[in-house]
Amino acid sequence: MTDMSSSIPLISRNKRMPTASNGSSSGPGAKDHFLLERIGGSASLKLAVDEFYALLMKDEMLSPFFEGVNIHKIKWHVYNFMSMILTWIPQEIDMSSYIGSRHVRLFDEGLCEVHFDRFATLFVESLRTVDGIATADVEEAANVLTSLRPIFVDGATAARE
């Protein structure tokens, strides 16, 4: 299992970041190099998100954060967010602000990097359940996801201050 707390290079908070092995973002076949396409595209991501929420809702650490929440709406947001981070993060999106502002209430309720680590672990486990996703692509997705961890450290710290 991937260690979700390991030190991973950060996604630039103010820069475009291709999640492609060769860093290419244009030209013939560039789309095939995006991680989302390599894992099987939208269909595979949907399967992973569905499996993820099945695991999450049974998880004693994370499920309390989702009580009383429209899970279908949250799944839609997570699917769209994962689609973005597995392809291309637009330059105009400051990831720290984008994610932090959407989790303020949860940070106030105690959400922290430990919860993020569990979230990331469950998501990676979910990717592993989808047929046809190469181990190297699962690991790359884990690296992309875990690069967001400092946002949760900062959010939790700010909530405690």
Side-chain angles (χ1 to χ4, degrees):
M1 182 173 298
T2 303
D3 176 10
M4 294 297 132
S5 62
S6 63
S7 178
I8 306 288
L10 290 177
I11 286 179
S12 172
R13 294 179 177 157
N14 296 309
K15 305 272 187 212
R16 297 185 104 179
M17 181 190 158
T19 54
S21 298
N22 65 0
S24 174
S25 62
S26 62
K31 179 180 172 188
D32 296 335
H33 296 287
F34 286 125
L35 183 54
L36 178 61
E37 295 307 314
R38 292 197 323 268
I39 69 166
S42 296
S44 291
L45 182 57
K46 183 181 180 324
L47 290 172
V49 169
D50 286 344
E51 175 63 20
F52 170 71
Y53 275 94
L55 294 173
L56 183 140
M57 296 312 290
K58 295 177 196 170
D59 189 84
E60 291 180 12
M61 180 188 290
L62 296 179
S63 62
F65 289 105
F66 294 89
E67 289 175 4
V69 174
N70 180 337
I71 204 66
H72 298 292
K73 183 177 179 181
I74 297 295
K75 281 173 70 172
W76 180 83
H77 284 291
V78 167
Y79 169 83
N80 286 303
F81 180 75
M82 292 297 179
S83 293
M84 179 181 64
I85 70 167
L86 297 178
T87 53
W88 192 266
I89 299 171
Q91 184 175 8
E92 63 273 8
I93 295 181
D94 175 344
M95 293 305 289
S96 184
S97 295
Y98 180 82
I99 294 170
S101 66
R102 284 157 177 80
H103 291 84
V104 170
R105 178 185 60 82
L106 297 174
F107 290 133
D108 289 342
E109 293 175 9
L111 184 73
C112 67
E113 65 275 9
V114 173
H115 299 103
F116 174 82
D117 294 343
R118 183 67 181 148
F119 178 98
T121 297
L122 290 178
F123 195 80
V124 169
E125 285 177 17
S126 299
L127 285 172
R128 288 190 174 119
T129 69
V130 179
D131 289 336
I133 299 180
T135 300
D137 291 334
V138 170
E139 293 303 316
E140 186 176 344
N143 289 341
V144 170
L145 185 58
T146 58
S147 71
L148 302 172
R149 187 179 195 269
I151 298 168
F152 290 81
V153 173
D154 294 347
T157 300
R160 287 190 297 264
E161 293 177 347

